[in-house]
């Protein structure tokens, strides 16, 4: 597969992989360039200050997604996978007071978060809807270094040069030839599986070994633990989510009601859907609150895969450690194919690229855990993605709350339903997954910009009067 497992699944923080994690990563990369990774503009003196501008969707929904805070934290040397959310506010307040960055390997840099961080509401930058420009200057105000970055979804960041190179030579960004199973498409994946007799999970495991990944099982177990810890935390908390919409956390009360009904031994026939929903909502409430989550494949869609995995672990038979790991390896393989051939960015293709991709991944993982064949797994992923085609990304207030939290719940339900349909067949079906992914990309390209994470259309502008 062309995308490593631990790039599809990443430990991070909420509320957004593209709008929070991406800008934080870009800021850290810019600091590394200032330390010597890039040549200064000719004639510039010693670097003395930094300014940042956010463009496109990063500007329109950046406040709601905490993009400004993410840039500041990144410039303070923080990274998504290690940031302590509880300490973030104190660090930001300290910078507001000092207006100066003091970092290892660099002289003191002037940076006032109120004046040196600009939300540009003009046209988006040309290569992607999530663009940002980092500029450094010397003491005389002369340009020292300017770099444009794009946050392309799922916490992935590319410089302008990297994104142009990938578009000019897309094969260069594919699976390394050194991988034993370098599939870039579902068709190639199925052909390699048929030729070798290996499962999708086994091929993905072999690819990770060829990449030099050590302690793969331990790392997969750590992903599962973080997912489950996020669910448990979400189920334990109530109150109002931050951001101003005054959205109440619901997962704790729903969970308590489900437990009470279980004890009465009179569950409703549709109770399985409610369990999947409450698990997904617990994760996405935590994400909306800026908590620690696993990007799967994005933060906005972070609840779907963990919810289906938890449903399988707690409510289904045949659970083993090996199958739990196969669930994640299979889901990652499908996510990698979608990212390689389309997009997982809501700002680029709408929510079909986020919750739609997550549902396809979860359906594939669940099907694998339930003993499905490679053909059935591909079928399950296709069914799940097909029935998310055209879904817009229109978060109210630019917050990952309405309708995002419930969309993850419905994505989980669709994922299990898709896997169930596939398991009732032999894997043969009319629409190949590759074709469905192509349709998703074409639909996203044709979608009006106001429905692609700008909060200028759809649900975002059709809220009830308060």
């Amino acid at each position: 597969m062309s995308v490593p497992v631990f790039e599809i699944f990443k430990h991070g923080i909420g509320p957004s992989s593209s709008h929070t994690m991406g800008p934080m990563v870009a800021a850290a990369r810019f600091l590394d360039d200032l330390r010597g990774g890039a040549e200064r503009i000719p004639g510039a003196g010693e670097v003395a200050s930094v300014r940042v501008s956010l463009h496109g969707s990063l500007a329109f929904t950046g406040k709601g997604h905490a993009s400004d805070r993410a840039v500041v934290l990144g410039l303070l040397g923080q990274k998504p996978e290690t940031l302590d959310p509880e300490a973030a506010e104190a660090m930001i307040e300290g910078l507001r007071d000092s207006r100066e960055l003091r970092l290892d390997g660099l002289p003191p840099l002037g940076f006032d978060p109120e004046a040196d961080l600009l939300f540009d509401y003009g046209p988006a930058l040309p290569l992607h809807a999530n663009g940002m420009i980092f500029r450094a200057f010397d003491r005389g105000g002369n340009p020292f270094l300017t770099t444009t970055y794009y946050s392309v979804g799922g916490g992935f960041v590319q410089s302008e040069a990297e994104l142009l190179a990938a578009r000019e030579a897309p094969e260069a960004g594919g699976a390394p030839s050194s991988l034993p199973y370098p599939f870039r498409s579902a068709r190639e994946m199925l052909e390699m599986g048929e030729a070798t007799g290996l499962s999708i999970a086994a091929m993905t495991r072999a690819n990770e070994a060829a990449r030099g990944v050590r302690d793969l099982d331990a790392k997969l177990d750590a992903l599962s633990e973080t997912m489950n810890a996020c669910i448990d935390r979400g189920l334990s908390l109530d109150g109002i989510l931050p951001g101003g919409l005054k959205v109440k956390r619901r997962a704790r009360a729903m969970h308590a009601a489900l437990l009470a009904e279980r004890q009465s031994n009179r569950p409703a026939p549709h109770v399985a859907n409610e369990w999947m929903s409450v698990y997904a909502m617990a994760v996405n409430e935590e994400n909306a609150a800026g908590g620690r989550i696993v990007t799967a494949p994005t933060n906005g869609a972070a609840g779907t895969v963990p919810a289906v995995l938890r449903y399988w672990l707690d409510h289904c038979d045949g659970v083993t450690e090996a199958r739990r790991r196969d669930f994640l390896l299979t889901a990652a393989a499908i996510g990698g194919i979608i990212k390689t051939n389309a997009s997982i960015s809501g700002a680029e293709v709408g929510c079909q690229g986020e919750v739609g991709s997550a549902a396809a991944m979860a359906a594939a993982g669940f099907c694998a855990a339930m003993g499905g064949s490679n053909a059935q797994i591909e079928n399950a992923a296709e069914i799940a993605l097909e029935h998310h085609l055209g879904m817009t990304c229109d978060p109210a207030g630019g917050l990952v709350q309405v309708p995002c939290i419930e969309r993850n719940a419905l994505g989980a339900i669709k994922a299990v339903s898709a896997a169930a349909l596939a398991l009732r067949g032999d894997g043969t079906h009319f629409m190949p997954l590759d074709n469905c992914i192509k349709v998703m990309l074409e639909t996203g390209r044709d979608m009006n910009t106001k429905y692609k994470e700008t909060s200028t259309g759809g649900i975002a502008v059709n809220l009830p009067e308060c």
Side-chain angles (χ1 to χ4, degrees), residues 23-313:
M24 195 181 300
V25 169
R29 286 189 57 180
F30 189 68
L31 292 178
D32 286 341
D33 285 344
L34 291 179
R35 292 184 177 102
E39 292 187 10
R40 70 180 69 181
I41 295 172
E46 185 180 50
V47 63
S49 63
V50 175
R51 295 176 195 162
V52 183
S53 57
L54 303 177
H55 301 259
S57 178
L58 287 179
F60 283 104
T61 64
K63 290 285 186 181
H65 287 93
S67 300
D68 48 349
R69 291 168 55 86
V71 168
V72 170
L73 290 166
L75 290 175
L76 286 167
Q78 299 298 310
K79 296 182 179 180
E81 62 270 22
T82 57
L83 172 68
D84 177 4
E86 302 295 329
E89 188 58 38
M91 288 187 281
I92 293 171
E93 283 300 318
L95 181 58
R96 287 196 183 109
D97 292 338
S98 69
R99 301 178 188 177
E100 188 174 73
L101 299 166
R102 290 188 172 272
L103 301 158
D104 292 340
L106 289 169
L109 301 175
F111 181 78
D112 181 352
E114 302 301 324
D116 294 325
L117 180 54
L118 172 68
F119 287 81
D120 188 325
Y121 299 106
L125 298 180
L127 299 184
H128 193 279
N130 291 332
M132 55 199 128
I133 302 176
F134 286 75
R135 297 178 173 90
F137 302 87
D138 67 13
R139 294 188 181 281
N142 302 303
F144 179 94
L145 179 67
T146 298
T147 308
T148 298
Y149 295 102
Y150 291 94
S151 183
V152 297
F156 292 90
V157 171
Q158 291 180 292
S159 68
E160 182 177 51
E162 290 166 345
L163 191 51
L164 283 171
R167 292 187 177 185
E168 291 171 0
E171 293 301 319
S177 59
S178 58
L179 296 183
Y181 307 103
F183 54 83
R184 289 175 51 88
S185 67
R187 178 182 61 79
E188 291 175 352
M189 178 183 71
L190 291 176
E191 288 175 350
M192 291 178 189
E194 185 174 358
T196 62
L198 294 175
S199 68
I200 295 168
M203 290 189 290
T204 305
R205 178 177 287 276
N207 285 342
E208 292 302 299
R211 286 188 170 101
V213 176
R214 296 183 179 181
D215 302 320
L216 177 61
D217 286 346
K219 291 179 178 178
L220 292 171
D221 294 347
L223 285 177
S224 298
E225 289 169 7
T226 302
M227 289 178 177
N228 279 319
C230 186
I231 290 173
D232 291 339
R233 180 170 171 80
L235 295 178
S236 71
L237 300 174
D238 52 23
I240 304 297
L241 293 172
L245 290 181
K246 298 182 180 180
V247 173
K248 293 182 178 180
R249 287 182 181 254
R250 292 182 285 166
R252 179 179 178 179
M254 289 176 61
H255 186 239
L258 286 168
L259 290 175
E261 290 169 11
R262 175 186 280 177
Q263 292 173 357
S264 71
N265 203 29
R266 296 181 62 185
H270 56 271
V271 72
N273 290 342
E274 295 186 71
W275 280 106
M276 284 183 274
S277 295
V278 77
Y279 296 147
M281 292 173 68
V283 172
N284 283 86
E285 287 174 358
E286 274 298 284
N287 178 65
R292 187 157 299 284
I293 52 87
V294 171
T295 300
T298 68
N299 286 31
T304 300
V305 170
V308 174
L309 178 59
R310 180 69 168 260
Y311 172 73
W312 175 72
L313 289 170

